Amino acid sequence: MKVDYIAQPDTQLGKVLSKMLDADPPASRIVFVSAFVSLQTIMRLKQQILDLQGNGVDIRFVLGIDLGGTSQEVLKEILGWNIDTKLVKHRRPGHTFHPKLYLFEWKTRGTIIIGSNNITEGGFFGNYEGAAHITYTLPRETEDFINACNKLERFLKPDSPVSYQLTEQLLAELADRDELPTEAEARVGRNFTGKSKRLNVEKGKSIFGTEDIAAPPPLPADVLERLVKDVRARRQAVKKLPKKKNSKRESAPPVFIDEHSSDFLLPAAFYMTLPTLQGDKIPGEARIPLEAIELAKEFWGWPDEYTKEVSPRAGNDRIYWNWRPNWQVWSVDSPDDVTTQAVRMYMYENSSDFRFYARPLVNAGGDRDDIVRIRRIAQSDVEYECVLARKGTTEYNEWIKSCTQAVRNSPRHFGYA
């Protein structure tokens, strides 16, 4: 028996499990046990799980629904996979289902990973988590492996009055009884809202420091593509609605972004290839696709952080929704040369596009087809971090893998991690 330890974020459990799901030959049995599950994270696993299931692998999920940590959207998605899924919940409060356990079994080895990591973006990539990674050599250590599985059987094969097979009927009943939150509500239950709470500036600088944590892998391109298509279809439908005559503009953000829909994504980072930034009559601005904003409104602070400004010009009002947070901007070529300044981010209502002021990127040498990585860090003095990777750099070659979605009517691409 070999025991190793996973100390996240130094080693990210999500990458460890992804590698095991891709193992050749594949495992014969896989069990995922988790108290909380996020939609974004389970979608990362979808294709690997379905491929393994199609090859006859025995796969089971055992999931908790306590504390609002798993949403109805998650369970609806998993239900469509036709995977053996058990839900565990004790009716009385104070008995939370809280284990995190991942089991893989091959002919020659068995692996159990047990620790603090839920199936969430934080649990798999961004949080500080610890887990024991135990490997048994089979058949020599079969007895020890079976003994471990027997001791963990109530999690691996729950069969008690508090365990229930996930079915359409059960899901509908839980939803009717308001026992399942939406994905947006579940994020609050998981105590993670996509951005850090702002520090109280009046109390001075925080005594705590920060450290860089590697971003998760790119979101699956097919998942992001489907979401982008859905957003574009909704926006086109809104544009085709008849306009009311003599209607007065309201002091509220425009309808180009569906503010009533839940954010599907809680991105760790946004990646985008740049337009031309340098040249005559080029204002030094970069556009972000509206569908990218709608998929992760909170990441962009929309609409809460923006205020309306009207600029009369040539008899026509130009309507802007502005926010000017501080950004830190630098290039991977010069990581010590960091610029911190207020950057104008705005929705231009007249032409329905979203832009940010890119002069710091120009000063860093950025231009067409280079890549930026933007992260919302929400510190007391800096809201965003923007890093430039020019063509030919190691970072460019890595980040381009995240730019999976084409910008409409443009050769540019974008994506999330």
Side-chain angles (χ1 to χ4, degrees), residues 277-290:
L277 298 179
Q278 303 184 43
D280 296 336
K281 298 182 180 180
I282 296 176
E285 295 175 325
R287 295 186 183 186
I288 299 173
L290 289 184

Side-chain angles (χ1 to χ4, degrees), residues 15-68:
K15 294 179 180 178
V16 173
L17 294 178
S18 180
K19 185 176 181 180
M20 294 172 71
L21 289 170
D22 280 338
D24 186 16
S28 59
R29 180 166 69 119
I30 299 173
V31 184
F32 278 22
V33 181
S34 181
F36 300 160
V37 186
S38 77
L39 183 59
Q40 181 170 326
T41 311
I42 202 69
M43 291 299 289
R44 291 182 182 276
L45 305 174
K46 180 177 181 177
Q47 196 56 53
Q48 291 172 298
I49 294 291
L50 293 181
D51 288 346
L52 288 168
Q53 182 194 42
N55 288 327
V57 177
D58 176 17
I59 303 176
R60 179 183 299 113
F61 290 155
V62 180
L63 309 177
I65 56 172
D66 287 306
L67 305 178

Side-chain angles (χ1 to χ4, degrees), residues 168-180:
E168 290 187 8
Q169 181 179 350
L170 176 62
L171 180 56
E173 185 174 346
L174 289 171
D176 288 342
R177 293 169 58 87
D178 292 326
E179 293 191 36
L180 289 175

